[in-house]
Amino acid sequence: MLAKPLKPEALLKTLISLVLSKPGLSLLYGPQGSYKTSISLSLLSRVGGTKVYVATGKHVLLRVPETITLYKSMDILDDLFLPFFLAHEATEKGTPIYVVYDSFIANFAGARGYLYSKVVIKSLVSCLILLREFSRAFSSPVVLVVTEHPTVAKPPLWKVVSRLVGVAVRIEVKEGVVVVSQQDPSLTPLSVWTVSEEELRGVLANP
């Protein structure tokens, strides 16, 4: 499939239309170092209304703009409480909430050290189902962000996650070019865009 070259702002507007313009779960994934977190925060900063960035793992140390609420998830109990926190916030404010849930699988992966794998997977699925129901009930888009499996270039637990997300977007960097593709449930590209890495980095550094 031929890729369509875009300028950074045009790409960000395209991504907002894909993942933040309507309720439901969307997935943003790719290898490490592909600007997933920076792009996600940039998307949040470009929409109006109430915005929540959910940080897990190393991302709890990030500083986010004052216009974005930071929810630090330190373990799977925080993850499982997240849908209820978001529903409370949406009820209190009476408006939709735009949510980015970064490295959403991190705490669940860590819990495999002290919980049975079946319990962990069921907990993850329950969390995602509750997030989907929150999204539908409060017309609030939720973007899941995750690093792909390093050997197969797929999102972790894709067979499970694919049943719950409506949009999947992959981001990768190739020789100074950032390649972004919207994909179907089989991870076949539906649309592909490219942008200069240097130009994108400049925009992300100065939102």
Side-chain angles (χ1 to χ4, degrees), residues 113-193:
Y114 55 88
L115 292 174
Y116 290 114
S117 292
K118 287 184 179 180
V119 174
V120 173
I121 292 176
K122 285 183 179 180
S123 298
L124 172 60
V125 172
S126 296
C127 180
L128 294 181
I129 289 174
L130 288 170
L131 283 173
R132 185 180 63 179
E133 294 309 307
F134 152 77
S135 177
R136 291 172 174 174
F138 294 95
S139 300
S140 299
V142 178
V143 182
L144 309 173
V145 183
V146 72
T147 298
E148 68 185 21
H149 193 285
T151 58
V152 295
K154 290 183 178 181
L157 299 174
W158 179 238
K159 286 185 178 180
V160 175
V161 176
S162 63
R163 301 171 188 166
L164 298 169
V165 301
V167 177
V169 175
R170 183 173 187 264
I171 303 174
E172 64 176 330
V173 181
K174 292 183 176 180
E175 299 178 350
V177 176
V178 179
V179 182
V180 180
S181 58
Q182 180 188 2
Q183 301 180 334
D184 67 15
S186 69
L187 301 180
T188 300
L190 298 171
S191 301
V192 182
W193 305 277

Side-chain angles (χ1 to χ4, degrees), residues 6-195:
L6 293 177
K7 288 294 185 181
E9 289 292 349
L11 175 65
L12 295 173
K13 287 180 181 179
T14 298
L15 290 176
I16 288 172
S17 177
L18 275 177
V19 303
L20 287 177
S21 64
K22 59 184 179 181
L25 302 186
S26 301
L27 180 72
L28 195 65
Y29 80 101
Q32 288 187 340
S34 54
Y35 301 97
K36 299 182 297 298
T37 294
S38 298
I39 288 173
S40 300
L41 285 170
S42 185
L43 297 181
L44 277 185
S45 71
R46 282 168 165 74
V47 296
T50 303
K51 300 167 280 193
V52 176
Y53 174 75
V54 183
T56 66
K58 65 181 181 181
H59 296 107
V60 299
L61 300 176
L62 281 179
R63 296 179 64 183
V64 302
E66 293 182 357
T67 57
I68 298 174
T69 299
L70 175 63
Y71 179 97
K72 294 184 179 182
S73 183
M74 308 302 292
D75 55 36
I76 64 171
L77 293 179
D78 290 336
D79 289 282
L80 292 171
F81 180 69
L82 175 63
F84 303 98
F85 166 80
L86 293 172
H88 177 267
E89 289 292 297
T91 301
E92 286 286 305
K93 292 179 168 51
T95 59
I97 296 179
Y98 299 90
V99 183
V100 166
Y101 188 1
D102 206 347
S103 296
F104 73 95
I105 205 169
N107 291 330
F108 294 96
R112 295 176 68 180
Y114 55 88
L115 292 174
Y116 290 114
S117 292
K118 287 184 179 180
V119 174
V120 173
I121 292 176
K122 285 183 179 180
S123 298
L124 172 60
V125 172
S126 296
C127 180
L128 294 181
I129 289 174
L130 288 170
L131 283 173
R132 185 180 63 179
E133 294 309 307
F134 152 77
S135 177
R136 291 172 174 174
F138 294 95
S139 300
S140 299
V142 178
V143 182
L144 309 173
V145 183
V146 72
T147 298
E148 68 185 21
H149 193 285
T151 58
V152 295
K154 290 183 178 181
L157 299 174
W158 179 238
K159 286 185 178 180
V160 175
V161 176
S162 63
R163 301 171 188 166
L164 298 169
V165 301
V167 177
V169 175
R170 183 173 187 264
I171 303 174
E172 64 176 330
V173 181
K174 292 183 176 180
E175 299 178 350
V177 176
V178 179
V179 182
V180 180
S181 58
Q182 180 188 2
Q183 301 180 334
D184 67 15
S186 69
L187 301 180
T188 300
L190 298 171
S191 301
V192 182
W193 305 277
T194 59
V195 64

